[in-house]
């Protein structure tokens, strides 16, 4: 079915505002028609968020496209943040790896220059947790967004009550340029209804990254309505609860393709619409201790030498909040003291948004963390690892997203602390 366009949208499509803008609109119309959207809807969020943060040498058509948009003055009507950078000299890498990065990301500086011209919010606006207060790109309840980055989209939809589909790279930029997005899926009341009821029946607080993984692998791209979580994380969207939901959502979005979840009595849609969000005939998935243990047991370990000593540890995928940085600092310091050590025994990187790190670095916790040898960085661990050389390294992480997309091995938070502080191998 062809989409119904307004006169203004039709003029843009017909090229009355330039050839490049017409191509942008044509792409959005084709995207919408592929998903049976009937019309466009204006973006109401203040800022965009782009997923592509890497200046990969092989992305020549993208660079050429962006150059032509910039030359014609067809830039984003809204400022945007971008996913984390792939490189940071502070993160340990061997000579060969550094050489490889140089070739692989040969267009990084050029690409960032293009982003600045297109509407990058500020020079350090690179993070997947753009919605954190320190970063300043938190949409309001009900805002329509043109974002990509699965962990940010699921957070914006679920925890903030904004409305955004799981867009791809470039499409999200085109939405920001045109100022509108096709109306379908998670932008509609009907598309936000739950086809799954998830009953959490564990005897202790489930690890967020494990719970999200279990949910994602079961419901895939459907919307789950989660019950029983209030017993463990309360009903208020406190900072601690938001951090928990951030990590749970990122795991659900990457281990499956969840773009929105509801937590009973807690998340905005669930508090407003309650059980009416559940579709007739919704299926039920019960998650108890045994189910979480099964999910964890079945993760494949794809290290060549499964008994290898870890060479690197990443914590912070998605990026950590200030509160999480402080909590990890306390846990690492306490474990080092218990184990009679001063520094971590595995090179360890905690990742967070540059603006979050800037604020954290003003606290006493930052100085304590630095003494342990843990490095902080605004890097994306996935982009760092996504090449054959890093893929061979025995890397450990508490991130289920990093485990899914790379060779990194998943451990629960307390296991990570033990491993990096020399408590056990
Ligand atoms: Fe963020 Fe990169 Fe992980 S974008 S969620 S740190 S894969």
């Amino acid at each position: 079915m062809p989409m119904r366009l307004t006169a203004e949208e039709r003029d843009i499509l017909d090229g009355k505002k330039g050839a490049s803008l017409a191509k942008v609109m044509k792409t959005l119309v084709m995207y919408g028609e592929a998903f049976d959207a009937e019309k466009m809807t204006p973006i109401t969020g203040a800022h965009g968020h782009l997923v592509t943060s890497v200046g990969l040498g092989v992305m020549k058509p993208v660079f050429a496209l962006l150059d032509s948009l910039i030359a014609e003055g067809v830039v984003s009507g809204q400022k945007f943040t971008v996913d984390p950078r792939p490189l940071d000299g502070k993160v340990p890498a061997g000579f060969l790896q550094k050489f490889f990065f140089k070739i692989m990301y040969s267009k990084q500086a050029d690409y960032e220059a293009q982003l600045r011209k297109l509407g990058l919010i500020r020079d350090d606006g690179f993070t997947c947790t753009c919605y954190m207060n320190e970063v300043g790109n938190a949409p309001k309840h009900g805002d329509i967004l043109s974002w990509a980055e699965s962990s940010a989209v699921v957070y914006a939809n679920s925890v903030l009550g904004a409305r955004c589909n799981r867009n791809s790279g470039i499409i999200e930029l085109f939405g920001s340029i045109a100022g509108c997005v096709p109306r379908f899926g998670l932008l509609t009341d009907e598309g936000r209804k739950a086809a799954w009821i998830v009953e959490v029946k564990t005897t202790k607080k489930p690890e967020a990254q494990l719970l999200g993984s279990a949910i994602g692998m079961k419901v895939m791209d459907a919307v789950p309505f989660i019950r029983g979580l209030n017993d463990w994380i309360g009903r208020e969207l406190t900072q601690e609860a938001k951090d928990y939901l951030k990590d749970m959502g990122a795991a659900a979005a990457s281990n499956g393709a969840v773009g929105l979840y509801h937590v009973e009595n807690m998340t905005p849609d669930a508090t407003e619409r309650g059980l009416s969000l559940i579709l007739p005939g919704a299926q039920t998935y019960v998650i108890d201790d045994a189910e979480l243990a099964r999910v964890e047991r079945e993760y494949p370990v794809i290290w060549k030498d499964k008994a290898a000593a870890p060479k690197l540890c990443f914590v912070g995928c998605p990026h950590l909040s200030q509160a999480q940085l402080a909590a990890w600092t306390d846990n690492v310091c306490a474990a080092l003291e218990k184990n009679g050590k001063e520094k971590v025994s595995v090179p360890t990187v905690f990742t967070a948004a540059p603006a979050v790190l800037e604020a954290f670095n003003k606290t006493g916790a930052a100085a304590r963390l630095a003494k342990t040898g843990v490095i902080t960085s605004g890097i994306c661990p996935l982009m760092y690892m996504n090449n054959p050389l890093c893929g061979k390294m025995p890397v450990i992480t508490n991130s289920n997203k990093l485990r899914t997309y790379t060779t990194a091995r998943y451990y629960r938070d307390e296991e990570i602390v033990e491993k990096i502080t020399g408590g056990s191998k």
Side-chain angles (χ1 to χ4, degrees):
M1 271 279 282
M3 286 175 72
R4 280 185 284 115
L5 300 182
T6 63
E8 194 188 349
E9 289 159 359
R10 174 67 53 196
D11 282 351
I12 294 172
L13 188 65
D14 291 344
K16 292 188 182 151
K17 295 197 177 169
S20 290
L21 196 53
K23 282 186 200 162
V24 166
M25 185 58 89
K26 186 176 178 195
T27 308
L28 290 171
V29 169
M30 288 169 73
Y31 175 42
E33 288 178 354
F35 287 92
D36 294 327
E38 288 177 4
K39 58 179 185 175
M40 294 289 175
T41 192
I43 293 170
T44 58
H47 303 302
H49 182 79
L50 310 191
V51 68
T52 309
S53 64
V54 291
L56 282 171
V58 293
M59 286 174 21
K60 283 191 188 124
V62 174
F63 301 132
L65 167 77
L66 299 186
D67 272 342
S68 70
L69 291 174
I70 293 164
E72 286 192 36
V74 179
V75 296
S76 174
Q78 51 175 198
K79 296 284 181 194
F80 52 76
T81 45
V82 183
D83 259 7
R85 290 179 165 121
L87 297 174
D88 179 352
K90 281 188 296 171
V91 177
F95 175 75
L96 262 182
Q97 281 168 318
K98 284 185 181 154
F99 182 69
F100 196 87
F101 286 148
K102 221 173 176 173
I103 295 174
M104 191 166 164
Y105 298 121
S106 58
K107 291 284 174 196
Q108 191 64 30
D110 294 348
Y111 178 55
E112 289 189 17
Q114 287 182 316
L115 289 176
R116 282 192 289 277
K117 287 180 191 153
L118 285 162
L120 177 64
I121 203 163
R122 55 172 196 264
D123 277 358
D124 71 350
F126 291 88
T127 177
C128 47
T129 56
C130 56
Y131 42 79
M132 288 198 177
N133 291 341
E134 299 87 340
V135 184
N137 184 6
K140 295 189 301 299
H141 186 190
D143 273 348
I144 304 289
L145 310 178
S146 181
W147 285 17
E149 164 50 41
S150 64
S151 69
V153 167
V154 73
Y155 188 93
N157 272 322
S158 312
V159 182
L160 302 177
R163 296 190 171 208
C164 186
N165 280 313
R166 280 174 53 108
N167 303 300
S168 66
I170 302 299
I171 285 282
E172 91 284 46
L173 174 62
F174 281 11
S176 287
I177 288 172
C180 60
V181 281
R183 189 174 183 279
F184 69 92
L186 300 176
L187 302 193
T188 68
D189 284 351
E190 202 54 29
R192 296 174 75 86
K193 288 195 170 170
W196 279 90
I197 301 165
V198 174
E199 301 271 9
V200 177
K201 293 190 171 170
T202 51
T203 58
K204 58 180 195 294
K205 183 178 175 180
E207 190 94 356
Q209 299 261 4
L210 264 182
L211 179 63
S213 164
I215 293 172
M217 287 197 277
K218 178 63 79 177
V219 313
M220 296 311 294
D221 63 347
V223 177
F225 188 96
I226 306 170
R227 314 186 77 176
L229 206 45
N230 299 138
D231 294 347
W232 303 114
I233 61 171
R235 289 177 174 225
E236 298 292 317
L237 281 172
T238 59
Q239 184 60 49
E240 196 179 346
K242 286 197 262 187
D243 288 342
Y244 184 96
L245 295 177
K246 161 180 77 75
D247 291 341
M248 185 193 80
S254 56
N255 286 221
V258 173
L260 163 69
Y261 57 82
H262 305 296
V263 179
E264 189 170 28
N265 303 317
M266 191 173 208
T267 52
D269 287 39
T271 50
E272 261 178 37
R273 295 164 69 192
L275 298 182
S276 71
L277 279 169
I278 299 173
L279 286 167
Q283 300 183 74
T284 299
Y285 176 36
V286 176
I287 299 184
D288 55 15
D289 298 344
E291 175 62 358
L292 279 186
R294 179 196 66 78
V295 167
E296 189 178 6
R297 203 168 47 241
E298 290 183 1
Y299 292 151
V301 177
I302 48 180
W303 287 2
K304 212 169 176 182
D305 173 8
K306 292 185 174 36
K311 282 230 167 69
L312 189 59
C313 171
F314 277 118
V315 173
C317 168
H319 277 175
L320 297 168
S321 68
Q322 261 203 84
Q324 288 180 306
L325 281 164
W328 274 93
T329 301
D330 288 346
N331 292 341
V332 168
C333 289
L336 283 173
E337 197 177 333
K338 187 185 85 186
N339 293 330
K341 303 203 169 186
E342 288 189 350
K343 290 200 180 288
V344 288
S345 49
V346 178
T348 298
V349 185
F350 288 178
T351 52
V356 168
L357 287 174
E358 195 183 318
F360 176 70
N361 286 339
K362 292 178 185 147
T363 68
R368 285 195 296 127
L369 185 65
K371 280 192 192 145
T372 70
V374 170
I375 296 157
T376 56
S377 169
I379 200 174
C380 169
L382 172 55
M383 291 301 125
Y384 171 93
M385 282 195 67
N386 226 352
N387 65 76
L389 287 177
C390 291
K392 285 185 189 146
M393 275 171 76
V395 175
I396 60 173
T397 183
N398 70 335
S399 164
N400 233 318
K401 180 171 181 177
L402 196 60
R403 173 197 72 78
T404 303
Y405 292 136
T406 71
T407 56
R409 188 167 178 173
Y410 171 80
Y411 287 101
R412 279 173 277 122
D413 290 359
E414 71 269 18
E415 293 175 307
I416 290 278
V417 171
E418 274 305 289
K419 285 190 181 292
I420 64 176
T421 58
S424 67
K425 282 217 162 175

